[in-house]
């Protein structure tokens, strides 16, 4: 059967970014013919015993409790499971000195859905046919932003400035405010903090400056905190979530051990939350209630915040240290390689300046020595400029074992040295 697709059907039936590359990775692993691969492409969090036990315990409490039938066997409010909304409101008001009410909170099927709602509620064509852009103020950023809009031309990214420490082989992306255009043509702003794929954390001042620029035009700013505090707290540097005004703080429990349950949390202005809730009602009624019910227990007890700081964060921070140390030892000092400063998330980001081949070609070469990474060019959605830097970067997952990461970095270093020599 070959049904005709609408314009939106054609747009949404194509894989974008890393999802498209994952198809090649899966085929590579299947066709390995006995070859062993170190797979550093995964975005799936590691199943940590303490984290799994937390969710087992919360599940046992739900099963033994009187509300199980109401949770699983009934529809619920589109806004979310009320006890979870109460737990989030209480936790954030106490933790950050806020004055949130129920109407400031929306529970969604994962945080990706928040950006889909936002991109299509605030971005795209208005009733008067004006195009409202979805602005990504710092590129590279999460590859999924490239597929959230039904109007792909609405996604516009800004080229960053590079803060380079050549002697230490480190660098950091910073927003280029001279290039950042937020005006009457802007529908919404989206960025991740900490950032997938780079681990970059925008400073408080940078976030406030972006929000202030957007506020002048009544534009909402969606801060993707899928890796931020208080859970999963995958920030390796001090950072404070910023609330209020036109900022919508967006969270996910995926990296806190619940990727299969799809729980996202949006916290923001009541009017914005109401628009997103209506969008959700029309799209999927509400987020799965089982996941919401066990998350309620983990948040209300304080266990999730505690395990995030004491188990999840140090686990991935130690993995980044292995990448860092091994590259420092194995990479030639005279080559122009630069590791992005590890400020958070579950990835390392490597820039190979003046790479003699494209990132995609290097990805193919690394597969020959049993190492799978992700080509960096997948992480520049909306960037229209033909920038060579886009084809010189790799994303390296921190989800492998210590030995696997060390071995893979040594193989990568050997490969890179040969490439530059040739």
């Amino acid at each position: 059967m070959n049904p005709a697709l609408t314009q939106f059907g054609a747009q949404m039936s194509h894989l974008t970014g890393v999802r498209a590359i994952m198809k090649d990775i899966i085929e590579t692993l299947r066709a390995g013919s006995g070859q062993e691969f170190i797979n550093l492409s995964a975005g799936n969090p590691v199943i940590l015993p303490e984290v799994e036990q937390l969710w087992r315990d919360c599940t046992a409490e739900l099963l033994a409790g009187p509300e199980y039938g109401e949770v699983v066997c009934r529809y619920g409010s589109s806004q979310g499971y009320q006890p979870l909304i109460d737990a989030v409101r209480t936790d954030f008001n106490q933790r950050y000195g806020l004055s949130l009410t129920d109407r400031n909170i929306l529970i969604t099927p994962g945080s990706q859905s928040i950006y889909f709602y936002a991109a299509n509620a605030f971005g795209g064509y208005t009733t008067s046919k004006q195009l409202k852009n979805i602005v990504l103020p710092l590129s590279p950023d999460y590859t999924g932003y490239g597929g959230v809009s039904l109007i792909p031309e609405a996604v516009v990214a800004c080229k960053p400035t590079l803060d380079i420490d050549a002697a230490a082989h480190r660098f950091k992306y910073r927003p280029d405010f001279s290039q950042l255009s937020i005006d009457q043509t802007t529908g919404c702003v989206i960025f991740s903090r900490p950032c997938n794929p780079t681990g970059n954390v925008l400073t408080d001042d940078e976030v406030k400056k972006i929000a202030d620029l957007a506020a002048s035009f009544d534009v909402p700013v969606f801060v993707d905190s899928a890796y931020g505090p208080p859970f999963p707290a995958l920030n390796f540097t001090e950072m404070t979530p910023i609330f209020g005004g036109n900022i919508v703080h967006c969270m996910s429990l995926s990296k806190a051990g619940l990727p299969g349950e799809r729980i996202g949390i949006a916290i923001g202005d009541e009017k914005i939350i109401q628009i997103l809730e209506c969008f959700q009602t029309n799209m999927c009624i509400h987020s799965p209630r089982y996941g919401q019910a066990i998350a309620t227990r983990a948040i209300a007890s304080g266990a999730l915040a505690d395990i995030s700081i004491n188990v999840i964060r140090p686990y991935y921070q130690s993995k980044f240290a292995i990448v860092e140390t091994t590259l420092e030892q194995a990479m030639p000092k005279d080559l122009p390689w630069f590791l992005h400063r590890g400020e958070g998330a579950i990835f390392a980001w490597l820039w190979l300046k003046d790479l003699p081949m494209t990132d995609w070609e290097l990805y193919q070469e690394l597969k020959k020595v049993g190492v799978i990474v992700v080509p960096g060019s997948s992480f520049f959605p909306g960037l229209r400029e033909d920038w060579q830097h886009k084809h010189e970067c790799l994303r390296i997952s921190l989800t492998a074992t210590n030995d696997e990461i060390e071995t893979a970095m040594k193989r990568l270093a050997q490969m890179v040295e040969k490439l530059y020599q040739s």
Side-chain angles (χ1 to χ4, degrees):
M1 187 175 177
N2 189 26
L5 293 174
T6 65
Q7 177 184 345
F8 292 152
Q11 168 67 17
M12 299 305 289
S13 62
H14 287 94
L15 295 175
T16 59
V18 173
R19 286 291 177 180
I21 292 169
M22 287 306 296
K23 184 174 185 293
D24 179 79
I25 291 172
I26 291 169
E27 290 174 355
T28 298
L29 293 171
R30 286 175 177 169
S33 301
Q35 182 180 3
E36 292 187 5
F37 289 96
I38 299 174
N39 187 356
L40 302 183
S41 69
N44 246 334
V46 175
I47 302 176
L48 302 176
E50 300 93 333
V51 178
E52 182 181 2
Q53 190 60 51
L54 169 65
W55 297 119
R56 284 181 179 273
D57 292 344
C58 291
T59 297
E61 290 179 23
L62 174 61
L63 288 171
E67 74 272 33
Y68 178 83
E70 284 295 319
V71 167
V72 176
C73 305
R74 296 274 186 189
Y75 288 114
S77 163
S78 293
Q79 187 184 355
Y81 181 55
Q82 189 60 45
L84 176 56
I85 292 171
D86 294 341
V88 171
R89 184 196 66 232
T90 300
D91 183 276
F92 276 67
N93 284 346
Q94 291 176 350
R95 190 182 300 276
Y96 299 114
L98 304 176
S99 301
L100 300 175
T101 71
D102 291 5
R103 300 309 303 168
N104 297 121
I105 300 167
L106 175 68
I107 312 300
T108 66
S111 59
Q112 174 100 357
S113 62
I114 300 173
Y115 315 124
F116 183 81
Y117 304 161
N120 294 291
F122 302 107
Y125 290 98
T126 66
T127 53
S128 59
K129 308 302 181 185
Q130 179 191 9
L131 179 62
K132 291 282 191 176
N133 291 322
I134 300 134
V135 174
L136 313 181
L138 186 69
S139 186
D141 209 331
Y142 175 47
T143 183
Y145 300 152
V148 293
S149 177
L150 294 170
I151 310 296
E153 65 267 28
V155 180
V156 179
C158 300
K159 183 179 172 183
T161 60
L162 276 61
D163 186 352
I164 303 171
D165 183 344
H169 291 278
R170 298 294 184 276
F171 83 110
K172 175 178 168 66
Y173 295 111
R174 294 192 183 277
D176 185 349
F177 286 99
S178 69
Q179 301 294 320
L180 178 57
S181 178
I182 298 175
D183 54 28
Q184 65 276 4
T185 67
T186 306
C188 65
V189 177
I190 305 175
F191 60 86
S192 60
R193 180 182 189 247
C195 177
N196 169 6
T198 66
N200 189 28
V201 173
L202 270 67
T203 66
D204 289 1
D205 286 344
E206 288 168 340
V207 173
K208 290 173 183 175
K209 190 170 182 178
I210 292 168
D212 287 345
L213 288 171
S216 301
F217 299 94
D218 249 4
V219 169
V221 175
F222 293 84
V223 182
D224 181 349
S225 298
Y227 297 89
F231 26 80
L234 277 163
N235 53 301
F236 307 153
T237 186
E238 284 296 319
M239 65 166 284
T240 306
I242 299 174
F243 304 91
N246 58 331
I247 292 176
V248 182
H249 182 76
C250 308
M251 302 166 57
S252 166
L253 298 189
S254 292
K255 300 309 185 287
L258 277 187
E261 287 308 305
R262 313 308 303 132
I263 303 297
I265 303 168
I267 300 174
D269 179 86
E270 180 177 337
K271 291 181 180 178
I272 298 174
I273 293 298
Q274 188 174 26
I275 291 167
L276 300 178
E277 181 186 344
C278 290
F279 206 113
Q280 175 159 281
T281 304
N282 287 321
M283 184 170 175
C284 62
I285 304 180
H286 59 67
S287 179
R289 280 161 59 84
Y290 161 76
Q292 294 186 70
I294 62 173
T296 300
R297 289 161 168 77
I299 292 172
S301 67
L304 185 57
D306 179 72
I307 213 166
S308 294
I309 292 172
N310 295 309
V311 176
I312 300 175
R313 178 194 289 166
Y315 178 86
Y316 289 103
Q317 195 164 10
S318 69
K319 299 290 184 180
F320 184 84
I322 293 170
V323 170
E324 197 168 32
T325 302
T326 307
L327 287 177
E328 286 175 349
Q329 294 172 349
M331 283 285 233
K333 297 292 187 286
D334 58 340
L335 294 185
W337 64 272
F338 302 94
L339 185 66
H340 195 284
R341 297 205 173 276
E343 298 176 333
I346 64 171
F347 307 103
W349 180 260
L350 182 65
W351 171 34
L352 300 167
K353 189 174 184 294
D354 302 322
L355 182 65
M357 59 174 56
T358 67
D359 58 323
W360 179 265
E361 291 168 335
L362 178 55
Y363 156 76
Q364 300 290 356
E365 290 299 311
L366 285 170
K367 287 196 297 185
K368 295 177 183 177
V369 294
V371 176
I372 298 177
V373 293
V374 178
S377 52
S378 311
F379 297 93
F380 294 82
L383 188 62
R384 311 292 166 77
E385 185 174 342
D386 187 16
W387 188 26
Q388 181 58 32
H389 180 89
K390 292 197 301 185
H391 307 286
E392 297 177 339
C393 300
L394 299 173
R395 190 189 78 173
I396 300 162
S397 173
L398 304 178
T399 56
T401 67
N402 293 356
D403 288 343
E404 286 174 332
I405 291 174
E406 184 176 349
T407 299
M409 292 305 96
K410 289 178 179 177
R411 292 179 187 175
L412 186 153
Q414 291 171 353
M415 174 70 69
V416 167
E417 185 173 15
K418 289 178 183 176
L419 289 174
Y420 279 95
Q421 285 175 346
S422 64

